Amino acid sequence: MTEPASTPAAQVGDHPAMDFLNTHATPNGVSTEWLATGTDLLTWLEQANLIDVETAARFRADKAAAAQLDVVAKGARALREWLRALVRRHAGRPLTATAETELGPLNLLLAGDKSYARVAGGPEGLAVQRLRRWETPEELLQPIAAAIADLVCQADFRLIRACEGHDCTLMFLDRTKAHARRWCSMALCGNRAKAAAHRARKRP
Ligand SMILES: [Zn+2]
């Protein structure tokens, strides 16, 4: 039984695509879904800084798009479970160019990208920005696709780990200097594991 979320999704993945993966998790042993509806998807995209507040508000206010948003959320869940299978297959060793054959769903999504470029001035001088018009709810999957593309091209898959916490399903990219991260977070799982180890030591 999967419960709808009552708290914001964990942002412990240290990469937006890993956080996307963690939008289904089992905190405290309860299977929880953070992308159950189109509204959920907007909330998560906003929380993950993948869309701006105005874009989220505009889609939220568009009652005619509500049903379509729910369909997009379903697409997001399917994309997430595809990504989960890919990550599980490859976590712990380098992802090589041969993985291209497994990236069909990602490339199909990327082919529908309608973003456009703009040259704008910033603190570092002129730079190319990618912008979106956000004309249809389907476009909401594009920042997620871009994050997944970044993960598979840029992240070191040797550093993708699952939290060692008992019953915890959260995963993360270990970007700590020593690459010795074991927990989704100290507050959630680290302290619990330490307390359990302490109790075990005290037992006669
Ligand atoms: Zn954990």
Side-chain angles (χ1 to χ4, degrees):
M1 176 78 188
T2 296
E3 302 281 333
S6 56
T7 52
Q11 284 187 301
V12 297
D14 217 358
H15 189 286
M18 296 305 294
D19 283 336
F20 175 61
L21 210 54
N22 290 335
T23 56
H24 184 279
T26 52
N28 304 314
V30 182
S31 172
T32 307
E33 175 60 75
W34 274 273
L35 302 179
T37 65
T39 313
D40 284 351
L41 177 65
L42 288 174
T43 302
W44 181 77
L45 285 166
E46 212 181 332
Q47 188 194 322
N49 285 320
L50 294 178
I51 57 171
D52 57 44
V53 180
E54 293 76 28
T55 306
R58 189 162 57 76
F59 276 115
R60 239 178 240 123
D62 185 357
K63 296 298 168 213
Q68 212 182 339
L69 268 174
D70 286 344
V71 173
V72 173
K74 192 179 175 192
R77 294 194 298 274
L79 179 68
R80 181 187 65 198
E81 298 317 313
W82 166 81
L83 176 64
R84 194 184 312 282
L86 179 88
V87 164
R88 280 187 180 157
R89 275 199 301 279
H90 295 282
R93 56 200 167 87
L95 188 67
T96 63
T98 56
E100 184 191 333
T101 55
E102 298 169 56
L103 300 179
L106 175 64
N107 281 328
L108 190 68
L109 194 55
L110 289 169
D113 188 14
K114 290 180 192 152
S115 69
Y116 60 97
R118 179 175 178 271
V119 177
E124 313 270 308
L126 291 172
V128 178
Q129 290 179 331
R130 292 307 304 182
L131 299 172
R132 292 177 199 284
R133 294 184 184 88
W134 303 112
E135 285 162 337
T136 63
E138 284 76 18
E139 274 187 82
L140 292 168
L141 294 181
Q142 290 300 335
I144 301 174
I148 297 173
D150 181 79
L151 183 81
V152 298
C153 297
Q154 306 296 336
D156 184 344
F157 265 55
R158 289 174 299 182
L159 303 178
I160 291 183
R161 307 222 158 91
C163 173
E164 292 180 24
H166 178 64
D167 276 351
C168 183
T169 58
L170 293 171
M171 295 189 79
F172 54 83
L173 180 63
D174 179 6
R175 292 208 253 209
T176 60
K177 223 174 192 176
H179 302 313
R181 185 175 163 192
R182 298 173 62 192
W183 317 108
C184 57
S185 77
M186 216 50 203
L188 279 173
C189 285
N191 288 335
R192 211 179 290 160
K194 273 189 177 171
H198 181 70
R199 278 196 303 277
R201 272 198 304 275
K202 280 191 130 183
R203 232 170 268 147

